Amino acid sequence: MAMDEARAQRLLAKEIGRQKLRNVLRERCFDRQRVLLDDPARQKSLLTPRRAGKSVVDGVGLYDAALEQSYMKCLYIGLVRETAKNIMWGPILKRLNRECGLGLTPREFNETSLTVKLKNGSSIQIVGMNDGDEQLEKLLGQAYRRVIVDEAASFHIDLKKMITTYLKPATADHRGDIWLTGTPGNVKNYFYEVTTGAVDGWKTHSWHTFDNPFMKAQWEEEIAAVA
């Protein structure tokens, strides 16, 4: 009985620790970002201008889903692998780890596969659509808690086919969700249709740069300087 109680206490401590980390991460978000995080929809889109906090909420969303349960996989898909790395790897995932005290050491960040391994066995991987069809099919054949497709406004591939053929089955096991995120673009692709309300089954979120309190003062100063 003592061993059972000790194990229960260890599990409770781990659970409390995970919830504390999730709360710290969420504190990095402003109200509109938290609405997106808390939205229970399994298909969500986010359309924002640049500097509005899209990449930060993407990173928090990846960590939040990975911390929610043990041994979950999360995937971030960018247009090009190098660009996806430049957006999400160091500037967001590594920075959030440092600033939010997630406790991940450099060895948890695999620079070759661009995979972060969390203490609870969950992982986050970054890929680009230029990684090759065989590699992408291998990745998308796995089970994921959350998949984020970023820069979605610039995708020239058939996004609808990728989502229905690969992403929905890949998120089915864990009742995971799919995020399409991006800034306004000139390509009238599936992301454009989703964010303009032409496609059913998606919950679209959107806000402006001035809604981001971390950038509002800077933008006001820039506008005042130009005026």
Side-chain angles (χ1 to χ4, degrees):
M1 179 63 69
M3 290 183 64
D4 289 342
E5 290 179 359
R7 182 173 182 273
Q9 289 296 325
R10 288 196 298 271
L11 291 174
L12 179 60
K14 287 182 179 180
E15 177 62 24
I16 292 172
R18 284 201 295 269
Q19 290 301 324
K20 284 183 177 179
L21 291 178
R22 293 179 72 194
N23 290 338
V24 170
L25 284 162
R26 284 166 175 262
E27 288 174 2
R28 295 300 305 271
C29 297
F30 53 89
D31 54 353
R32 302 291 289 274
Q33 291 173 318
R34 286 192 289 269
V35 170
L36 169 65
L37 287 170
D38 293 334
D39 189 337
R42 293 188 59 205
Q43 294 186 153
K44 296 184 278 192
S45 64
L46 171 61
L47 177 66
T48 68
R50 299 191 183 281
R51 313 306 298 166
K54 172 181 64 65
S55 297
V56 170
V57 76
D58 280 352
V60 171
L62 291 167
Y63 272 131
D64 188 62
L67 285 165
E68 185 180 19
Q69 297 182 52
S70 299
Y71 303 103
M72 293 290 106
K73 292 182 179 181
C74 297
L75 187 66
Y76 174 90
I77 303 174
L79 193 62
V80 179
R81 189 176 195 267
E82 192 62 27
T83 303
K85 178 182 178 181
N86 291 338
I87 292 171
M88 187 55 53
W89 188 243
I92 301 298
L93 295 182
K94 286 186 176 181
R95 179 163 62 88
L96 287 173
N97 174 53
R98 292 192 306 270
E99 295 179 356
C100 297
L102 302 186
L104 303 176
T105 65
R107 68 180 181 182
E108 269 86 56
F109 289 85
N110 188 313
E111 301 289 341
T112 302
S113 64
L114 296 183
T115 302
V116 187
K117 189 69 175 292
L118 278 69
K119 303 294 186 182
N120 67 345
S122 294
S123 63
I124 300 167
Q125 185 167 4
I126 293 175
V127 299
M129 286 306 299
N130 65 331
D131 278 350
D133 292 342
E134 184 176 340
Q135 173 68 1
L136 289 171
E137 286 191 18
K138 179 181 177 181
L139 287 169
L140 295 176
Q142 301 180 44
Y144 293 98
R145 171 62 185 84
R146 175 161 292 155
V147 178
I148 297 179
V149 182
D150 195 16
E151 304 174 278
S154 300
F155 275 65
H156 290 274
I157 65 165
D158 189 340
L159 269 177
K160 182 179 180 180
K161 180 179 179 181
M162 184 177 81
I163 290 165
T164 56
T165 304
Y166 295 107
L167 299 189
K168 281 189 175 180
T171 55
D173 288 359
H174 302 303
R175 301 291 294 171
D177 56 14
I178 301 166
W179 295 17
L180 291 182
T181 68
T183 56
N186 297 321
V187 181
K188 292 189 176 181
N189 60 5
Y190 188 66
F191 179 70
Y192 174 84
E193 295 175 357
V194 166
T195 54
T196 55
V199 181
D200 293 331
W202 288 85
K203 180 66 176 297
T204 297
H205 296 258
S206 183
W207 58 77
H208 299 287
T209 304
F210 280 99
D211 293 320
N212 181 352
F214 306 109
M215 290 300 299
K216 185 175 185 292
Q218 295 181 37
W219 276 90
E220 288 176 343
E221 290 175 5
E222 292 290 333
I223 291 172
V226 172

